Amino acid sequence: MQKRTHMAGELSEGVVGSKVTLAGWVARRRDLGGLVFIDLRDRSGIVQVVFNPRIAPEAHDRAERLGSEDVVLVSGTVERRPPGTENPSIPTGTVDVVADAIEVLSKSKTPPFYITEDLDADELLRLRYRYLDLRRPDMQRNLIFRHRLTMAVRRFLDSRGFIEVETPMFIKSTPEGARDYVVPSRLNPGKFYALPQSPQLFKQLLMVAGFDRYFQIARCFRDEDLRADRQPEFTQIDIEMSFVNRDDVLALTEDMMAASIEETLGVPVATPFPRLSYAEAMERYGSDKPDTRFGMELCDIGKAVEGSGFRVFREAVAGGGKVAAIVAPGCGGFSRREVAELEDMAKEFGAQGLVSIAVSRGEEGGLDFRSAVRKFLSEEELREIVRLTGADDGDLILISAGPSPVVQNVLGRLRLHLGSRLGLIPGNKMAFVWVVDFPLLEFSEEEGRIVAVHHPFTAPLDEDLYFLETNPLAVRANMYDLVMNGVELGSGSIRAHRRDVQERIFRALGLGPEEVQEKFGFLLEAFEYGAPPHGGIALGFDRVVMLLAGRKTIRDVIAFPKTQRAICPMTGAPGPISREQLEELHIEVVNGERIDPASNARES
RNA sequence: GGAGGCGUGGUGUAGCUGGUCUAACAUACCUGCCUGUCACGCAGGAGAUCGCGGGUUCGAAUCCCGUCGCUUCCGCCA
């Protein structure tokens, strides 16, 4: 067998006259009876091969019997195409390879879907035959781009003195955070490892160990429900640094993003990134991961309606809640049904209702208002609302009233919905923003207690330390999220490395000394042996790649992802294991049935 | 756990206010013809009991109920 000499996509007029040998897949065959053309595809691209019975009868004869996706080795001469037969739509369109020999290395069955750029096949089918899906040029581009970005990040961090260290995959389960994936221990009956949700504690220990600057392209696991941007296993760029403050971490991250994007996409990225406080993000965008590519910001109109005749508004303000609005530009003509859809959406997000006011300008420039609650609102109020929101002729004002978090959430989501529906979001823009000063603690309704917003090792802001004992929910954390285009790319914090501060946080969380010792004893012990001040960040690498590659789901930038039910249609994972395996692992499966805690009886 | 969308030859869709639907179109596939095509073209052919189960009806791809799968979102994701 001859050896490959060139890649298909590399051929150009520069090598006209050369003898070449190519290897690849038959992307397409065009049999004109006499002449046979095939488009030969390899990783680099496509080139047309011509089989002429007068030049190479045997090769032509074989070419007539080729099928889609057969793997072939072709030898021939690169020739300039006859004038008028060039194909400007492919990069190699000015040349042909005139074949003198072809060898079929491997036949292919007819593939279940087309191996083409713009495939619109069922995702289940794509995953079932992922190796064919990944043969498609756009998927190859995605994974190659991911590789380039990985390399750029590694190069950058290396140049800044970071050391890549691998941390264990089999770790101890801690009750905080997401649900753990769990691995049974054969050598320790009844005990389980957990797969890491992130290398958090280990990277902090590496700081104690004196590595100073650590990073890892780390696989992480979380057993939670899936989304377009969430897979059960995913990859983080995990970073930790010693002797730094918040600004150091933010600047490093900005430099890393800018350098790797400039290197891979050739697009300049302006730094520093804008910063918003958590409070401001919620006020202006109704989200802690604001999409800052477009306006339509929330507007507090509490002042305008605190004395309103409309009870819902008046009571919201009086009750310490909020009345706020967004303006949907040009939507004043929305039908009753369209408005009702927005109301339904608002209710889905927790609102009691949604007030809409259509604004129009009369002949003499006077403003007219159309609203279901028109009669409850005074002319003065309406004018003030218009003044505050900046609404004008043809606009639709949407108002939500109630507890602040609900109002912000509802309007924030409506903003996103309308922004996308009205085409207000520029698709080619990269809008980075830092969200900082998150609350350190929050009250969990579900658990009925105070929990850490980020994790229990996040340092409070120095100026808020005092509140830990007096008003713990008011304490702001020295923490930061990086957001791009409304997607949370990552978050991090400066850690609490001082034992006394750490103990005060645990107290605020309601954790007793024994519990702390049991859960995090090893870390606290480490901190007693000279822990440097440190902090870091972790970026969701799949999401970064997704956004930069312009895809809508991280599945498109992961070689072998899972479906929404967390299964792999290609391999069939997860699957059952044998009786023997189970016994070795000291595990009993109860028919896949849930054990009813109310009774000792088991389904047989 | 909840809400929405989708499920029809290999693939992508149409049909879905019940009755020439004996299921249509495109493409892929098979056969034949064709020496400059490039989504090659032309002619012919094979291929689907309409995700599955039940119900309503004289009659169901079409209506109803259930169920399964994919997907988007809510909850969840320190």
Side-chain angles (χ1 to χ4, degrees):
Chain A
M1 188 173 111
Q2 280 205 281
K3 292 298 284 183
R4 172 166 71 180
T5 62
H6 291 71
M7 297 295 284
E10 290 168 357
L11 299 182
S12 68
E13 291 176 89
V15 288
V16 163
S18 307
K19 283 282 200 188
V20 298
T21 300
L22 303 173
W25 286 259
V26 176
R28 203 156 238 131
R29 184 177 57 117
R30 290 176 292 279
D31 185 348
L32 273 59
L35 290 179
V36 173
F37 297 93
I38 66 166
D39 291 337
L40 185 77
R41 183 188 64 241
D42 63 24
R43 196 180 84 189
S44 66
I46 279 180
V47 72
Q48 175 168 272
V49 182
V50 191
F51 296 87
N52 188 323
R54 288 207 207 123
I55 294 171
E58 192 187 334
H60 174 265
D61 194 50
R62 287 187 188 178
E64 281 190 311
R65 291 193 303 273
L66 288 174
S68 281
E69 300 306 315
D70 287 347
V71 181
V72 294
L73 190 72
V74 179
S75 297
T77 310
V78 180
E79 291 189 0
R80 198 182 308 278
R81 291 198 186 185
T85 66
E86 298 89 351
N87 183 355
S89 60
I90 59 171
T92 60
T94 57
V95 297
D96 282 331
V97 173
V98 178
D100 42 51
I102 180 169
E103 186 181 343
V104 177
L105 302 178
S106 181
K107 286 293 288 178
S108 172
K109 289 168 70 174
T110 301
F113 50 79
Y114 314 124
I115 312 298
T116 63
E117 180 89 36
D118 308 300
L119 181 74
D120 185 27
D122 188 75
E123 190 142 358
L124 182 63
L125 199 68
R126 288 175 56 198
L127 291 180
R128 169 105 209 287
Y129 299 95
R130 189 61 159 177
Y131 42 87
L132 295 180
D133 193 36
L134 293 177
R135 206 179 270 175
R136 297 166 43 233
D138 54 327
M139 291 301 283
Q140 298 231 329
R141 259 202 311 277
N142 291 345
L143 291 189
I144 291 166
F145 174 71
R146 182 179 177 125
H147 161 74
R148 297 239 155 82
L149 202 63
T150 309
M151 295 304 284
V153 164
R154 281 213 165 92
R155 240 190 316 275
F156 172 85
L157 289 171
D158 177 61
S159 78
R160 294 294 184 95
F162 285 80
I163 307 294
E164 184 165 17
V165 181
E166 291 166 272
T167 52
M169 296 294 237
F170 295 169
I171 67 174
K172 195 180 165 198
S173 176
T174 51
E176 308 285 317
R179 213 172 280 117
D180 282 324
Y181 275 99
V182 138
V183 179
S185 168
R186 176 179 59 86
L187 297 174
N188 302 276
K191 295 195 173 164
F192 298 82
Y193 302 98
L195 301 179
Q197 298 175 22
S198 81
Q200 183 61 37
L201 298 180
F202 291 96
K203 69 176 176 177
Q204 292 190 245
L205 292 167
L206 287 169
M207 293 303 103
V208 178
F211 278 91
D212 202 295
R213 294 182 155 211
Y214 141 95
F215 85 100
Q216 184 178 188
I217 312 278
R219 192 64 65 83
C220 305
F221 307 86
R222 294 182 188 171
D223 187 4
E224 297 293 345
D225 286 359
L226 285 74
R227 289 282 191 284
D229 61 355
R230 274 164 36 187
Q231 282 276 307
E233 52 180 312
F234 61 100
T235 304
Q236 285 186 346
I237 304 171
D238 195 43
I239 293 173
E240 196 75 6
M241 311 161 75
S242 290
F243 311 111
V244 291
N245 59 29
R246 176 170 82 186
D247 286 349
D248 296 321
V249 179
L250 300 198
L252 182 277
T253 307
E254 286 165 354
D255 288 351
M256 178 180 77
M257 293 304 290
S260 52
I261 290 172
E262 280 165 21
E263 181 177 328
T264 52
L265 292 179
V267 178
V269 175
T271 57
F273 301 153
R275 297 185 194 180
L276 288 174
S277 72
Y278 170 82
E280 193 181 356
M282 294 307 295
E283 287 282 326
R284 289 174 56 191
Y285 299 99
S287 169
D288 63 357
K289 42 174 183 168
D291 191 338
T292 55
R293 284 175 299 176
F294 69 111
M296 267 186 81
E297 294 186 17
L298 317 206
C299 175
D300 193 315
I301 58 166
K303 280 272 181 296
V305 298
E306 58 190 354
S308 175
F310 188 43
R311 192 170 53 89
V312 174
F313 287 177
R314 195 178 59 238
E315 288 181 356
V317 178
K322 194 178 180 66
V323 183
I326 55 173
V327 176
C331 299
F334 265 20
S335 68
R336 188 182 291 236
R337 190 168 139 207
E338 285 171 306
V339 172
E341 275 170 15
L342 295 177
E343 277 175 34
D344 287 347
M345 204 173 289
K347 284 177 186 159
E348 195 185 320
F349 299 134
Q352 296 295 315
L354 184 74
V355 169
S356 58
I357 304 174
V359 182
S360 54
R361 210 170 264 285
E363 297 271 310
E364 320 81 51
L367 288 172
D368 289 327
F369 305 100
R370 195 160 48 81
S371 171
V373 299
R374 174 75 177 83
K375 59 176 181 262
F376 299 114
L377 301 171
S378 69
E379 199 69 20
E380 197 181 327
E381 274 171 60
L382 288 163
R383 288 189 188 290
E384 188 59 11
I385 290 171
V386 163
R387 193 184 68 78
L388 288 169
T389 58
D392 207 337
D393 184 38
D395 292 344
L396 186 70
I397 304 174
L398 298 167
I399 303 172
S400 175
S404 296
V406 174
V407 169
Q408 287 169 338
N409 183 39
V410 165
L411 292 180
R413 288 184 189 278
L414 285 175
R415 172 179 175 268
L416 288 179
H417 169 77
L418 287 164
S420 121
R421 173 168 164 187
L422 300 174
L424 301 177
I425 305 178
N428 55 356
K429 207 163 156 183
M430 283 189 274
F432 289 99
V433 58
W434 288 107
V435 179
V436 300
D437 299 344
F438 279 77
L440 181 72
L441 308 166
E442 66 186 347
F443 185 77
S444 164
E445 298 286 346
E446 194 181 328
E447 299 181 54
R449 63 180 181 98
I450 289 177
V451 298
V453 168
H454 188 48
H455 59 68
F457 307 102
T458 301
L461 289 181
D462 285 339
E463 60 262 41
D464 289 359
L465 270 175
Y466 165 78
F467 295 122
L468 267 176
E469 284 74 26
T470 53
N471 183 7
L473 294 179
V475 177
R476 288 169 299 170
N478 200 340
M479 147 181 188
Y480 29 85
D481 272 11
L482 179 61
V483 174
M484 175 185 164
N485 298 356
V487 176
E488 184 196 319
L489 288 188
S491 70
S493 64
I494 299 300
R495 326 296 180 189
H497 72 285
R498 269 168 50 197
R499 173 120 204 178
D500 60 318
V501 172
Q502 186 65 68
E503 281 175 351
R504 289 166 68 188
I505 295 171
F506 282 138
R507 261 200 302 278
L509 285 168
L511 294 177
E514 311 77 27
E515 202 177 346
V516 166
Q517 186 56 38
E518 202 270 316
K519 285 179 181 169
F520 307 113
F522 63 100
L523 184 71
L524 294 180
E525 188 179 29
F527 281 3
E528 294 184 80
Y529 287 95
H534 62 284
I537 191 167
L539 300 176
F541 187 59
D542 313 275
R543 291 183 182 176
V544 174
V545 178
M546 169 187 82
L547 286 178
L548 296 180
R551 312 299 295 207
K552 288 195 170 61
T553 159
I554 60 172
R555 294 189 300 277
D556 283 352
V557 298
I558 295 173
F560 299 100
K562 305 282 191 291
T563 68
Q564 197 165 47
R565 235 181 71 236
I567 66 139
C568 172
M570 185 176 63
T571 60
I577 58 175
S578 69
R579 195 72 252 145
E580 292 70 31
Q581 282 176 294
L582 284 170
E583 269 165 26
E584 264 185 345
L585 295 170
H586 325 286
I587 288 181
E588 195 175 340
V589 176
V590 192
N591 271 346
E593 299 276 333
R594 186 178 304 211
I595 301 169
D596 181 0
S599 78
N600 290 327
R602 273 201 306 245
E603 299 283 282
S604 57

